[in-house]
Amino acid sequence: MRRTVEPLRAVKGMNDRLPGEARAFARVEAEARRVFGLHGYGEVRTPMAEEAALFSRSIGEETDVVGKEMYVFPDRHGVPLALRPEGTAGAVRAYIEHKVATVEPVTRWFYLGPMFRHERPQKGRYRQFHQVGAELFGAASPEADAELIAMIHAFLGAIGLSGVRLQLNSIGDDACRPAYAAALQAFLRAHAAELCPDCQRRAETNPLRALDCKVPADRAILASAPEPGASLCGPCREHFDAVRGHLEVLGLSPEVNPRLVRGLDYYTRTTFEFLAGGELGSQNTVAAGGRYDKLVERLGGPAVPAVGFAAGIERLLLALGATEAAAEGSDLLVAALGGPARRRALVLAQAVRAAGLRAELDLRGGSLKSQMRYADRAGAAFALVLGDDELAAGKAKLRQMGPRGGGAPGDEIEVALDAVPAELRRRLRDVR
Ligand code: ATP
Ligand code: MG
């Protein structure tokens, strides 16, 4: 028959994760939960859509994220909503909305989940991607920055990512940034003719953004621009030096990158990035963050300082080169022939699962021979053949299929049906 219906495809830049990849994802998420939990962080889950104004107010109108990449749409009443492009704005909104500051002097939150940006899809850059991130509210001291950065380092180590570089900078605060921004603006205006249209605009609206420009020609020009790190006021310099000192004590050696600004407007003082080696190219930033002492206030909350970060899970997995088997093979495949035997097999498989082991039936049925072939192909550790004779005797032959199980492939032992779960546990205990 001719096919008349074109199958639908996933939205460009939004990817399926089949079980093998999903497992690698889940492993990273589990390590995040574990490591962040050790540092006193609780998980916060905020909605995937927020009023668009939340992001323009926090991230900034002039940023690429808000200006070019955000998915914005009117809801059925015409209220502009946005799919969240990052996690901090929603976390801060929730922190204010639930008056968390009134009950907790210091709050440690982490989050995990999908983020949405309409970017050009390429390796390490997608339209739906996933971040794991954390926010530490209520601590202005350099210890907070250092603790958070060291936690990220521990997390990266826990998932097996070694050889990461840590870059650190300070972009100053309300006391010293205006003078720096003016100096940078003068520089940008002087070079306006050679800069991209975005940077020409940034020169007038938000000069610091220009340092984050991805256009190679602009980057070359900006290499000789004044640097924020060079014009810090006393307290910002002190804070920065203390963060570096604490990190050294913690065994991390940050490289100072004097032009490191982040792509979002809300940062003050510390900014940092973790870079992975390898072939991720300009998508090699796996985690990034910094301090944002004014954001809570800017969004209508109390004056609470904060520091946070986010890591892209897809990029972590690319950097890890993580590949996983689609699923682990079963511990037991029950091959059964005939109605009564197949019913007994259903019950047996359930008992094995209740004992904490993976059990599977060949649901296609078919001959015992074909069911055993399936057991082999599916990577089962053991197979058990159940027919009328075995049912009558109340016992069956447990056959080791692969290397797992203590004996050799092909070994068979006779086991009472009721004893199968215990026997499997005994044989697989040390192997898993
Ligand atoms: P980049 O400079 O690569 O565009 P960014 O400054 O926009 O990154 P952040 O907003 O700081 O990134 O997000 C933190 C992390 O989230 C990044 O370091 C990256 O690992 C990941 N990330 C950001 N955008 C994407 C994307 N479109 N696809 C996949 N991962 C992303
Ligand atoms: Mg970006």
Side-chain angles (χ1 to χ4, degrees):
M1 210 175 71
R2 231 171 58 108
R3 191 171 201 157
T4 52
V5 183
E6 268 297 307
L8 291 171
R9 302 181 63 95
V11 175
K12 192 172 173 206
M14 302 196 181
N15 302 317
D16 300 313
R17 301 269 158 215
L18 302 188
E21 283 178 310
R23 242 152 60 95
F25 247 73
R27 202 184 297 277
V28 169
E29 291 171 348
E31 281 307 316
R33 289 201 159 86
R34 189 182 67 78
V35 174
F36 300 167
L38 291 175
H39 289 76
Y41 283 71
E43 182 174 354
V44 62
R45 299 193 186 205
T46 64
M48 256 171 278
E50 299 268 359
E51 287 194 35
L54 173 67
F55 301 110
S56 38
R57 252 192 256 168
S58 57
I59 301 170
E61 297 274 11
E62 275 308 312
T63 59
D64 284 355
V65 172
V66 170
K68 299 183 188 167
E69 300 168 359
M70 204 154 70
Y71 282 90
V72 187
F73 55 95
D75 76 358
R76 289 185 178 276
H77 296 296
V79 179
L81 300 185
L83 295 182
R84 62 179 185 193
E86 52 97 59
T88 298
V92 171
R93 196 239 344 110
Y95 177 81
I96 297 169
E97 189 166 329
H98 301 283
K99 300 189 171 53
V100 181
T102 62
V103 288
E104 290 178 1
V106 171
T107 297
R108 290 178 173 88
W109 280 357
F110 77 91
Y111 60 84
L112 291 163
M115 307 293 162
F116 304 85
R117 297 183 192 179
H118 198 278
E119 302 197 64
R120 191 170 68 76
Q122 55 197 287
K123 189 174 186 185
R125 195 174 290 285
Y126 313 101
R127 292 182 173 172
Q128 176 178 312
F129 62 101
H130 296 75
Q131 283 184 340
V132 44
E135 319 291 353
L136 170 46
F137 296 101
S141 78
E143 290 169 6
D145 309 46
E147 184 191 274
L148 179 89
I149 291 170
M151 176 176 86
I152 303 163
H153 188 256
F155 162 64
L156 297 176
I159 62 171
L161 195 60
S162 53
V164 287
R165 285 156 53 207
L166 166 60
Q167 294 197 339
L168 193 68
N169 194 25
S170 174
I171 58 169
D173 65 3
D174 289 349
C176 51
R177 200 157 29 157
Y180 168 69
L184 181 61
Q185 183 172 54
F187 174 91
L188 295 172
R189 283 178 175 163
H191 293 80
E194 309 145 68
L195 294 172
C196 75
D198 277 340
C199 282
Q200 292 177 7
R201 195 168 35 81
R202 287 171 185 139
E204 301 311 315
T205 54
N206 191 347
L208 255 78
R209 291 273 58 75
L211 293 183
D212 210 32
C213 183
K214 301 263 179 355
V215 178
D218 288 43
R219 294 181 83 100
I221 295 163
L222 285 158
S224 55
E227 297 169 343
S231 45
L232 297 180
C233 62
C236 282
R237 162 70 44 208
E238 231 170 80
H239 185 96
F240 186 53
D241 290 344
V243 173
R244 289 174 61 189
H246 293 331
L247 287 172
E248 300 280 354
V249 167
L250 287 165
L252 277 81
S253 29
E255 306 162 22
V256 175
N257 173 353
R259 357 192 116 254
L260 180 67
V261 294
R262 302 285 317 132
L264 320 179
D265 267 1
Y266 50 62
Y267 288 101
T268 47
R269 294 193 164 171
T270 313
T271 56
F272 61 85
E273 288 189 356
F274 281 91
L275 310 174
E279 9 123 25
L280 279 168
S282 61
Q283 272 73 251
N284 67 342
T285 303
V286 291
R291 179 163 279 289
Y292 46 93
D293 288 343
K294 293 287 179 276
L295 181 60
V296 180
E297 220 177 339
R298 180 160 155 180
L299 289 178
V304 174
V307 56
F309 89 98
I313 298 183
E314 286 83 354
R315 286 197 199 170
L316 291 173
L317 291 172
L318 279 170
L320 280 169
T323 49
E324 303 257 341
E328 282 171 71
S330 287
D331 296 313
L332 177 68
L333 186 291
V334 189
L337 203 59
R342 289 198 65 86
R343 274 193 293 283
R344 183 68 181 87
L346 282 172
V347 174
L348 178 60
Q350 201 174 45
V352 170
R353 295 177 194 125
L357 298 169
R358 297 182 299 267
E360 187 185 357
L361 265 62
D362 185 346
L363 293 176
R364 305 165 312 161
S367 70
L368 284 177
K369 205 168 148 196
S370 100
Q371 293 186 47
M372 290 304 280
R373 268 203 307 272
Y374 175 78
D376 202 30
R377 223 179 35 232
F382 287 91
L384 180 134
V385 172
L386 207 55
D388 291 339
D389 294 350
E390 286 80 5
L391 264 195
K395 54 190 178 189
K397 286 210 184 71
L398 193 59
R399 180 187 174 90
Q400 183 169 335
M401 302 298 290
R404 295 190 300 138
D411 283 2
E412 283 188 339
I413 39 157
E414 201 164 63
V415 188
L417 293 181
D418 291 337
V420 168
E423 181 64 22
L424 281 173
R425 275 185 76 99
R426 201 173 62 73
R427 293 183 161 264
L428 288 167
R429 190 182 43 215
D430 298 332
V431 196
R432 284 176 72 189

